[in-house]
């Protein structure tokens, strides 16, 4: 069975950028809904319930064809949201970026340039989707965007950070002002965790 992750912070931790209401709906309704639906679809296919969510997302081609699209949608959303919620922190940004990841980000020109490119990807994603920071086999970073529940992990690449740009992620707090949500998102990124993920992709 897949389970709803606990948030590594309280529902009020991301105020003033993300409200308690948004976080409650997002975690306890949207993500919980995807988890429940995934378990329901896989109930007659027990074998796949032994996978962890990353394995499932990387092995969608092994699923019976009649459930593949539904599993892709729901497992994709579970994986994407887990990475999203586990990439954030509340309180004062401590900016514990490792030297290695800092150097890799400098390949965008500068941190400010990384922010510009990330923002352009988020604003440019038409409709629902996600923005990703992805590491290749040599440790080089790239920014990608995907639609709906898609992710770079489904295509064999290694994401270390994501941003949800589905309207449910920001609409209560920002209405249609997606650029403002993205601007504030930089205040929430937990660079210590993201640096750990980066280091891990280099040792695989
Ligand atoms: Mn979402």
């Amino acid at each position: 069975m897949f389970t709803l992750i606990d948030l590594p912070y309280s529902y009020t931790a991301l105020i003033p950028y993300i409200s308690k209401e948004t976080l409650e709906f997002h975690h306890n309704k949207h993500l919980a809904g995807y988890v429940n639906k995934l378990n329901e679809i896989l109930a007659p296919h027990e074998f796949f319930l032994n996978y962890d969510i990353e394995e499932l997302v990387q092995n969608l081609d092994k699923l019976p064809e009649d459930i593949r699209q539904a599993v892709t949608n729901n497992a994709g959303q579970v994986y994407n949201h887990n990475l999203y919620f586990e990439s954030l922190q509340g309180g004062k940004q401590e900016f514990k970026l490792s030297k290695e990841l800092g150097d890799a980000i400098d390949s965008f020109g500068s941190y400010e340039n990384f922010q510009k490119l990330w923002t352009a990807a988020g604003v440019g994603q038409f409709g629902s989707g996600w923005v990703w920071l992805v590491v290749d086999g040599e440790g080089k970073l790239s920014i990608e965007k995907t639609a709906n529940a898609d992710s770079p992990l489904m295509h064999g690449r290694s994401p270390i950070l994501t941003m949800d740009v589905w309207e449910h992620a920001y609409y209560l707090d920002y209405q249609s002002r997606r650029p403002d949500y993205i601007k504030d998102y930089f205040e929430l990124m937990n660079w210590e965790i993201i640096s750990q993920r980066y280091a891990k992709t280099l040792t695989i």
Side-chain angles (χ1 to χ4, degrees), residues 15-167:
I15 293 171
Y17 306 116
I18 293 177
S19 66
K20 180 171 179 275
E21 292 71 24
T22 295
L23 204 49
E24 279 176 346
F25 270 109
H26 205 178
H27 174 256
N28 209 23
K29 292 277 187 288
H30 287 282
L31 177 53
Y34 295 124
V35 171
N36 293 340
K37 188 73 194 165
L38 180 60
N39 285 325
E40 194 185 306
I41 299 162
L42 290 178
H45 306 272
E46 270 184 1
F47 171 77
F48 294 102
L49 292 172
N50 298 319
Y51 281 36
D52 63 34
I53 193 70
E54 286 82 4
E55 283 177 299
L56 186 60
V57 163
Q58 289 172 295
N59 288 284
L60 295 165
D61 56 329
K62 297 196 176 130
L63 289 154
E65 214 169 314
D66 60 321
I67 59 165
R68 193 177 300 150
Q69 189 58 52
V71 173
T72 300
N73 295 342
N74 288 281
Q77 285 294 74
V78 172
Y79 166 74
N80 296 0
H81 281 94
N82 288 0
L83 186 68
Y84 172 79
F85 288 126
E86 291 177 344
S87 293
L88 305 182
Q89 64 175 2
K92 198 172 162 0
Q93 170 68 275
E94 288 182 56
F95 221 83
K96 289 186 182 162
L97 186 61
S98 68
K99 171 154 188 340
E100 291 70 25
L101 182 54
D103 288 348
I105 285 176
D106 282 343
S107 70
F108 292 113
S110 62
Y111 182 76
E112 290 67 30
N113 226 36
F114 156 72
Q115 288 182 302
K116 270 188 206 159
L117 294 166
W118 182 271
T119 302
V123 171
Q125 172 54 39
F126 182 76
S128 297
W130 300 82
V131 178
W132 305 87
L133 187 60
V134 178
V135 189
D136 75 7
E138 274 84 53
K140 194 174 166 350
L141 299 174
S142 59
I143 294 170
E144 297 183 21
K145 56 186 179 178
T146 61
N148 301 322
D150 196 10
S151 74
L153 190 68
M154 288 184 188
H155 309 286
R157 297 193 293 283
S158 304
I160 56 170
L161 169 66
T162 191
M163 176 174 70
D164 190 344
V165 294
W166 284 57
E167 279 189 347

